[in-house]
């Protein structure tokens, strides 16, 4: 890159991208790749404390030393699994559910839920049935599941960074809290408002969820009106018969 340094820096100062610069110096005989130009500019910007990507004139390093903010600490997100993110969303929604009651205002009117970074301690397993331990773990499915989340913990700093990268997560959390409110209140009118709110949501997953509620509207409505009626006992009996 050095034989083309003056041309590269002049074009860089003029706001040209590394691909445009690569095409220009390629006509002058440069045989390297556009990636080489990009790394050269990145290294130059780092050495002179210039925020690369913000098209601004190149000025001496001394006048930029105080103006450029310190480089933030790198945050690695590639080892955080989707299961860990799901659990964080469920935890935040559950925190809101536990602190709310059926006569609270709508979720949009509530203050934001403070985040807790400490995960709840798992309860020790105990056999509360009449069966032997080996049978109880299978029949009642009470054996604790092995954790499938990543080894990297999702700290508060990483979570805030993740919300910036994927703002949809905030919308998912709001939707989840709103649906918890529908279930807690057992109010069909709230169910109608929830479906109307998210049926045409631009996020496809939320719109699909609302459409599914509308498709099974009668069953969902009866679930709210008759919360004490459940086929759970029959399901447990069926499992024991199969065993």
């Amino acid at each position: 890159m050095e034989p083309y340094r003056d041309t590269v820096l002049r074009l860089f100062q003029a706001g040209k991208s590394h691909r445009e610069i690569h095409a220009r110096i390629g006509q002058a005989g440069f045989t390297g790749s556009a990636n080489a130009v990009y790394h050269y500019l990145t290294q130059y910007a780092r050495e002179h404390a210039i925020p690369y990507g913000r098209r601004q004139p190149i000025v001496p390093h001394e006048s930029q030393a105080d103006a450029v903010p310190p480089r933030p600490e790198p945050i690695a997100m590639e080892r955080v699994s989707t299961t860990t993110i799901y659990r964080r969303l469920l935890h935040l929604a559950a925190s809101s559910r536990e602190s709310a009651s059926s006569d609270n205002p709508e979720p949009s009117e509530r203050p934001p839920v403070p985040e807790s970074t400490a995960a709840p301690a798992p309860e020790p397993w105990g056999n509360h049935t009449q069966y032997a331990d080996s049978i109880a773990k299978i029949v009642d499915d009470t054996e604790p599941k092995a954790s499938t989340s990543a080894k990297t913990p999702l700290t508060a700093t990483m979570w805030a960074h993740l919300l910036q990268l994927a703002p949809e997560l905030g919308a998912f959390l709001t939707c989840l809290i709103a649906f918890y409110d529908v279930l807690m209140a057992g109010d069909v009118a709230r169910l109608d408002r929830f479906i109307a709110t998210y049926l045409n949501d631009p996020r496809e997953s939320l719109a699909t969820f609302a459409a599914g509620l509308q498709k099974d509207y009668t069953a969902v409505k009866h679930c709210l009106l008759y919360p004490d009626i459940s086929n759970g006992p029959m399901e447990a009996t069926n499992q024991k018969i199969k065993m």
Side-chain angles (χ1 to χ4, degrees):
M1 292 296 304
E2 285 302 323
Y4 309 94
R5 172 186 175 86
D6 294 339
T7 302
V8 169
L9 296 183
R10 176 173 52 82
L11 295 175
F12 177 65
Q13 182 178 4
K16 301 297 182 181
S17 68
H18 71 282
R19 296 187 183 277
E20 294 173 320
I21 297 175
H22 175 259
R24 187 73 62 86
I25 63 178
Q27 299 174 356
F30 178 69
T31 58
S33 65
N35 195 39
V37 179
Y38 173 78
H39 285 293
Y40 181 82
L41 295 176
T42 301
Q43 181 66 24
Y44 178 86
R46 182 181 300 111
E47 292 175 353
H48 294 76
I50 300 174
Y52 180 46
R54 297 173 57 187
R55 300 306 179 191
Q56 58 184 27
I58 296 179
V59 295
H61 175 249
E62 290 75 12
S63 61
Q64 284 287 323
D66 297 332
V68 178
R71 186 181 297 271
E73 181 181 357
I75 302 176
M77 299 295 299
E78 64 275 4
R79 293 184 180 273
V80 177
S81 68
T82 54
T83 302
T84 302
I85 298 174
Y86 293 156
R87 289 180 175 177
R88 174 58 63 89
L89 289 173
L90 292 173
H91 173 69
L92 293 178
S95 300
S96 173
R97 179 183 57 179
E98 292 170 358
S99 62
S101 60
S102 60
D103 57 351
N104 272 359
E106 294 295 329
S108 59
E109 302 175 6
R110 295 185 191 164
V113 180
E115 178 181 351
S116 174
T117 58
E123 297 181 359
W125 177 80
N127 184 2
H128 304 292
T129 70
Q130 58 182 340
Y131 305 104
D133 290 351
S134 58
I135 300 298
K137 291 179 180 180
I138 299 175
V139 174
D140 289 340
D141 195 23
T142 52
E143 184 176 14
K145 301 293 189 300
S147 176
T148 58
S149 60
K151 294 182 179 180
T152 303
L154 188 58
T155 63
T157 302
M158 296 172 67
W159 176 250
H161 180 65
L162 187 59
L163 288 179
Q164 294 180 353
L165 297 178
E168 296 83 1
L169 291 177
F172 295 158
L173 179 59
T174 301
C175 176
L176 186 58
I177 293 176
F179 190 64
Y180 274 155
D181 286 338
V182 172
L183 297 180
M184 290 170 57
D187 188 354
V188 178
R190 287 196 183 189
L191 174 63
D192 295 338
R193 290 197 298 270
F194 180 87
I195 295 176
T197 300
Y198 289 100
L199 192 58
N200 297 317
D201 194 276
R203 289 164 284 266
E204 182 180 0
S205 56
L206 299 184
T208 301
F209 177 62
L213 294 176
Q214 187 180 48
K215 181 179 179 180
D216 298 327
Y217 181 80
T218 301
V220 177
K221 180 182 69 173
H222 288 170
C223 180
L224 300 178
L225 296 177
Y226 312 108
D228 297 330
I229 299 179
S230 171
N231 65 337
M234 191 61 206
E235 292 291 340
T237 303
N238 185 39
Q239 181 77 356
K240 294 174 184 177
I241 291 175
K242 289 191 293 184
M243 285 300 302

